[in-house]
Amino acid sequence: MKLFDLTGKTAVITGSTKGIGKAIAERMAEHGANIVVSSRKQGACEAVAADINDNWAKSGNRAVSIPCHIYHKEQLQSLVEQSKAEFGKIDILVCNAAVNPFHGSALDIPDTAFDRIMECNIRSNSWLCNMAIPGMIEQKDGVLIIVSSIGGIRGSKELGAYSISKAADMQIVRNYAVEFGPHNIRANCIAPGLIITDFARALYEDPERRDNRESATPLRRLGDPDEIAGAAVMMASPAGSYLTGQTLVIDGGTTIQP
Ligand code: NAP
């Protein structure tokens, strides 16, 4: 058995046209998985799927594009159904897409922004897992990965609601790990620190904030999407077969700096 082999597996990855999700899609394809590339924009999904087919999927596997806005339950259902129609099953589900429409004091967040964060980052992840799990129970095999954040394990003055949602992701995987472990379904979170993607641009393009974060991080730098993708491959492959219910922090040491 090869520890990092995903041959014959199908991975559905939300938010996989950019940043962390795209790196996970590429690296899972490199390790042999069929990939469903998904985000809100059809053109972006098609371009990334084509690039994966040209450059990453080299062992008879392939990538397809299935756009989906994670807020909409019917689009999530269609993502699951179309993925099964394309590849017959879903073995690996990566709930990576998330939203954060508000930066600022907890006193100022509009109800609409608070609700949107909870709906997309908590409810939609739960919906999507619930849609994939019955097939995983049938095949007695499945991997759920939620991309959380170190925001979920620390207090925050300006990303409060987002951080609540990211803490909830960690509890979601504990619940699924306990309930569905007997069916050989594993559920884990990855909690990245600051990774260079469009999502975090506001945090690292400000030189003072970037300096502060880098000096508060033992490795003295921000992270790269591939440094998250490797952990996702591990969690989905035989290398991670006894890992469940956990949150793996990947942050260059930010959260352990005294
Ligand atoms: P990113 O580079 O901005 O990519 C986000 C991806 O999600 C894109 O493919 C985007 O494509 C898609 N997306 C956005 N909203 C969506 C929606 N409502 N429905 C479906 N797809 C949607 O972001 P990222 O930094 O890689 O973030 C990925 C995950 O990592 C998020 O859960 C984020 O909270 C987490 N994270 C990031 C950092 C960091 O520093 N970057 C740190 C901790 C945690 P479309 O625009 O085409 O929809």
Side-chain angles (χ1 to χ4, degrees), residues 101-102 109-119 160-161 164:
F102 180 79
I109 187 167
D111 288 350
T112 48
F114 190 94
D115 288 349
R116 193 73 170 185
I117 291 168
M118 301 308 154
E119 286 159 355
I164 293 170

Side-chain angles (χ1 to χ4, degrees), residues 79-138:
L79 173 63
V80 168
E81 278 160 21
Q82 285 188 64
S83 300
K84 285 184 178 170
E86 194 68 49
F87 294 117
K89 63 192 172 101
I90 297 171
D91 304 290
I92 303 160
L93 172 65
V94 184
C95 298
N96 166 72
V99 303
N100 180 41
F102 180 79
H103 280 76
S105 166
L107 301 182
D108 298 330
I109 187 167
D111 288 350
T112 48
F114 190 94
D115 288 349
R116 193 73 170 185
I117 291 168
M118 301 308 154
E119 286 159 355
C120 284
N121 300 2
I122 302 177
R123 192 178 66 181
S124 290
N125 284 348
S126 303
W127 276 341
L128 186 54
C129 290
N130 289 350
M131 291 168 190
I133 284 169
M136 293 177 170
I137 290 175
E138 246 172 67

